[in-house]
Amino acid sequence: MAATIKDVAERAGCSIATVSRFVNGTAVLTLETRARIEAAIHALGYRPSELGRSLRRQATRTVGVIVPSLTNPVFAASVAGLQARAREAGFGVLIASTEYDPAQEMAALDTLLGQKVEGLALTVSDPLASPVLPVLDAERKPHVLMFNQADRPGRVCVTVDNVAAAFAMTNAILAEGHRRIAFLAGRFSTSDRSRLRYRGFANAMARSGLVPPSPTEVDFLIDMPDQAVAPLFEQEAAPTALFCSNDILALAAIGALQRRGMAVPADVSIVGFDGIALGRMVEPPLATVHQPAREMGETAMEILLAELREHVAERPTFLPFELRLGGTLATAPAHAAPSAPLVAQPQWRQT
Amino acid sequence: MAATIKDVAERAGCSIATVSRFVNGTAVLTLETRARIEAAIHALGYRPSELGRSLRRQATRTVGVIVPSLTNPVFAASVAGLQARAREAGFGVLIASTEYDPAQEMAALDTLLGQKVEGLALTVSDPLASPVLPVLDAERKPHVLMFNQADRPGRVCVTVDNVAAAFAMTNAILAEGHRRIAFLAGRFSTSDRSRLRYRGFANAMARSGLVPPSPTEVDFLIDMPDQAVAPLFEQEAAPTALFCSNDILALAAIGALQRRGMAVPADVSIVGFDGIALGRMVEPPLATVHQPAREMGETAMEILLAELREHVAERPTFLPFELRLGGTLATAPAHAAPSAPLVAQPQWRQT
DNA sequence: CTGAAAGCGCTTACAG
DNA sequence: CTGAAAGCGCTTACAG
């Protein structure tokens, strides 16, 4: 078995209290005691048990994080950012992933609360429908949403303004002369981000006097959106641009279109949302709305730390987004509808 | 504060032992006691503390996992697989990421051992150089390497045979008539996988009577391998194919080449390694060696569970890989060296 | 500068 | 069927 504080104390010929003080640097000790304890620790390979420590201190110095998936680099990046900040503050991070299944959210929360995490950062399917938020409220557990937008005024979240971002991007697409723009969306029921981005898109379309088309919803876990994309381009007036609610979808859509023999962006422009690294690597680079995912995790952890320290709820934080234009977003083909007067670009926070 | 077992016992008018038995279903209780305890638990929102439980049981039912990065979907997938199996077995998973920095491996291990994980699954930079493996040996901690190949006979790992896989893929490239093949590699010092794959590549080249070119090493964290790729294509006899040690690198290389005005695979064939989902989405699909990353995590967890149950070290497991040909791998351009007699395809495990 | 002792939230023989 | 009590590995007043 692993050595305990008792083993160290025995070997060093002192009390466990003294060992504890040495380990935590919480008292001044004789040079000699110090040396004996140090030797004992080294010889036994002693490592303090966070279990005993946490139980005694009534604080685990641990936070939990719940994300829909670790395989989507956007969430992975936020977790990485959160973890980095946590480490700096001496906090551990417990991660649970729900695989985009809302039904798993409660189980994940149960596990994390059982581990006595002091706070949580989470991205749920839909804050308005998630059962975990009320539980968090009832338990008065400090928590912060990432990527999601708040379901009510008092809720703390850190995200970008999805509606405004999609609105801005849609105007940029319109500015390239596109009029027939389709929206490819991750299922609304499993992503409020998707829904909010569609709303921004629809708002911008309407403001330009266009009728926003219904969204084409696709499941996240299907590799190929080929079937979803097909009907769009079999109709009479096919879209000249496709706004996808996230980058993975957008990259997949590019492949789907190319398999149909269409060129991007010559025939169809493609726009994504997220700003994953891979989008800048492909050629042409993916036009997208970049949101600072890693920073989102960092900010979430900072908010959590502040709440734990000061016992005061922080305020919702909107991080700036950034439009990455060009690349897969080009001017609408000449044979498309002639360009009409455009509305002014809306304002958005710029880095 | 959160309710404890004592609070429940008081409210239900029984001893904490009885509450414990109810919660764990470890004894038969009167219908009445059961009802009273259930009511108390519900009213107080009681959730057993894993801390107390673990301390008392002297078992945390938790494993740790160390990966180089969560942002690389290959590692994310293995973690997801491991987590799924762990959940089934009632185990928790603590995740630490080293950001491809070998120096962080020890710190990660310290943290996890402090949390008293019962076993570990890990991917280190290089098993031959990693300081964590000897510690794991000294502590007699059950552990299993993922993706890495073992540094010595007794070490348990689950991976694909990287040398054989790269050997097979290189022969497939040669079979397309390519003779000038470059190897773009993640830094050897931070990836034994990269080194082993190069070895398989070099073996295959040599066996075909060709002189294997030196690898072109690139840092993982640099987004654009454009600078690394440039010198290769500025020389007299530019390569007609590029074998990249992983898919992210391969996708980035495709972009880099296209930015240089070259077509893939018409001018240059590109081959990756890993088989990430995105590789199948892009057009043309990425030629690559697919390794079952998620399954690797699942298998790692199964091995760990077996070791924890039976206290016997399992044997190294090689999972089957699969060559995904076509797509970005095409026949060498006509003006390239004429094709020579080819060696027979080596055997490899096929799904 | 150091030690004895209480107690954090649990589980589990041992009794009855 | 249920309870009293010990003890898992720690930290921290309280003494001296």
Side-chain angles (χ1 to χ4, degrees), chain B residues 6-88:
Chain B
K6 209 168 140 195
D7 301 321
V8 176
E10 265 168 27
R11 192 177 233 266
C14 66
S15 75
I16 61 168
T18 306
V19 176
S20 173
R21 290 184 187 113
F22 172 85
V23 170
N24 297 297
T26 187
V28 193
L29 307 180
T30 333
L31 200 79
E32 211 224 297
T33 347
R34 230 157 49 206
R36 284 213 318 275
I37 295 179
E38 191 153 27
I41 286 178
H42 187 79
L44 297 169
Y46 170 68
R47 212 177 301 267
S49 165
E50 284 303 327
L51 284 178
R53 219 194 276 247
S54 293
L55 189 57
R56 171 58 226 238
R57 281 190 182 146
Q58 285 297 83
T60 54
R61 296 185 73 72
T62 285
V63 298
V65 44
I66 301 178
V67 288
S69 160
L70 245 25
T71 339
N72 186 327
V74 174
F75 299 126
S78 71
V79 171
L82 189 132
Q83 219 156 15
R85 275 285 183 288
R87 176 198 300 261
E88 289 169 15

Side-chain angles (χ1 to χ4, degrees), chain A residues 175-253:
Chain A
E176 291 292 346
H178 296 278
R179 289 299 172 271
R180 294 193 305 277
I181 312 172
F183 196 91
L184 194 60
R187 284 234 171 281
F188 285 178
S189 62
T190 58
S191 173
D192 67 321
R193 288 81 68 205
S194 184
R195 196 176 56 221
L196 293 165
R197 290 166 198 170
Y198 175 73
R199 187 184 303 166
F201 163 76
N203 287 354
M205 291 293 275
R207 204 175 132 179
S208 282
L210 300 167
V211 179
S214 313
T216 302
E217 290 184 63
V218 300
D219 276 322
F220 257 119
L221 300 175
I222 294 173
D223 283 357
M224 313 287 182
D226 293 56
Q227 319 91 299
V229 164
L232 290 173
F233 293 93
E234 278 158 8
Q235 59 194 1
E236 189 68 17
T240 62
L242 193 50
F243 192 163
C244 306
S245 73
N246 69 62
D247 281 355
I248 304 274
L249 222 48
L251 291 170

Side-chain angles (χ1 to χ4, degrees), chain A residues 8 11-12 19 22 29 31-46:
Chain A
V8 176
R11 191 178 234 267
V19 176
F22 172 84
L29 306 181
L31 200 79
E32 212 223 296
T33 345
R34 232 158 45 207
R36 285 211 318 275
I37 294 178
E38 191 153 26
I41 286 178
H42 187 78
L44 297 169
Y46 170 69

Side-chain angles (χ1 to χ4, degrees), chain B residues 12-314:
Chain B
C14 66
S15 75
I16 61 168
T18 306
V19 176
S20 173
R21 290 184 187 113
F22 172 85
V23 170
N24 297 297
T26 187
V28 193
L29 307 180
T30 333
L31 200 79
E32 211 224 297
T33 347
R34 230 157 49 206
R36 284 213 318 275
I37 295 179
E38 191 153 27
I41 286 178
H42 187 79
L44 297 169
Y46 170 68
R47 212 177 301 267
S49 165
E50 284 303 327
L51 284 178
R53 219 194 276 247
S54 293
L55 189 57
R56 171 58 226 238
R57 281 190 182 146
Q58 285 297 83
T60 54
R61 296 185 73 72
T62 285
V63 298
V65 44
I66 301 178
V67 288
S69 160
L70 245 25
T71 339
N72 186 327
V74 174
F75 299 126
S78 71
V79 171
L82 189 132
Q83 219 156 15
R85 275 285 183 288
R87 176 198 300 261
E88 289 169 15
F91 270 68
V93 179
L94 261 37
I95 303 170
S97 137
T98 63
E99 305 299 320
Y100 284 106
D101 177 6
Q104 282 195 44
E105 288 174 5
M106 205 43 160
L109 181 63
D110 271 331
T111 305
L112 295 178
L113 289 181
Q115 313 272 13
K116 303 300 168 192
V117 295
E118 298 184 27
L120 287 107
L122 54 167
T123 302
V124 299
S125 286
D126 182 359
L128 294 167
S130 179
V132 308
L133 263 20
V135 173
L136 255 12
D137 286 337
E139 307 240 332
R140 308 175 143 282
K141 244 324 156 201
H143 62 278
V144 44
L145 293 173
M146 301 184 296
F147 298 101
N148 296 306
Q149 265 163 255
D151 55 328
R152 56 169 183 75
R155 177 133 285 141
V156 183
C157 62
V158 43
T159 178
V160 297
D161 185 332
N162 284 293
V163 176
F167 185 86
M169 181 51 109
T170 304
N171 281 324
I173 301 173
L174 288 165
E176 291 293 347
H178 295 277
R179 288 299 172 271
R180 295 193 304 277
I181 311 174
F183 195 91
L184 194 60
R187 285 235 170 281
F188 285 178
S189 60
T190 58
S191 174
D192 69 320
R193 287 83 66 206
S194 184
R195 195 176 57 222
L196 293 164
R197 290 165 197 170
Y198 175 72
R199 187 183 303 163
F201 162 77
N203 287 354
M205 292 293 277
R207 207 175 128 180
S208 282
L210 299 167
V211 180
S214 313
T216 302
E217 290 184 63
V218 300
D219 277 322
F220 257 119
L221 300 176
I222 294 174
D223 282 359
M224 312 288 180
D226 293 56
Q227 318 91 299
V229 164
L232 290 174
F233 293 91
E234 277 158 7
Q235 59 193 2
E236 190 68 16
T240 62
L242 192 51
F243 193 163
C244 306
S245 73
N246 68 62
D247 281 354
I248 303 275
L249 221 49
L251 291 171
I254 292 174
L257 289 178
Q258 289 174 333
R259 274 186 285 278
R260 296 181 63 85
M262 311 179 79
V264 175
D267 297 327
V268 186
S269 284
I270 301 278
V271 167
F273 200 114
D274 279 345
I276 64 177
L278 209 50
R280 316 183 76 157
M281 296 183 195
V282 297
E283 183 60 32
L286 181 63
T288 192
V289 180
H290 173 261
Q291 57 176 338
R294 190 185 168 89
E295 192 185 337
M296 223 168 264
E298 293 170 350
T299 308
M301 188 65 212
E302 279 160 18
I303 290 175
L304 241 26
L305 289 170
E307 291 200 9
L308 290 172
R309 245 192 323 264
E310 290 146 34
H311 301 281
V312 181
E314 295 289 309

Side-chain angles (χ1 to χ4, degrees), chain A residues 66 98 101-110 123-126 130-132:
Chain A
I66 301 177
T98 62
D101 176 7
Q104 282 196 44
E105 288 174 5
M106 205 42 158
L109 180 63
D110 271 330
T123 302
V124 297
S125 285
D126 182 358
S130 179
V132 306

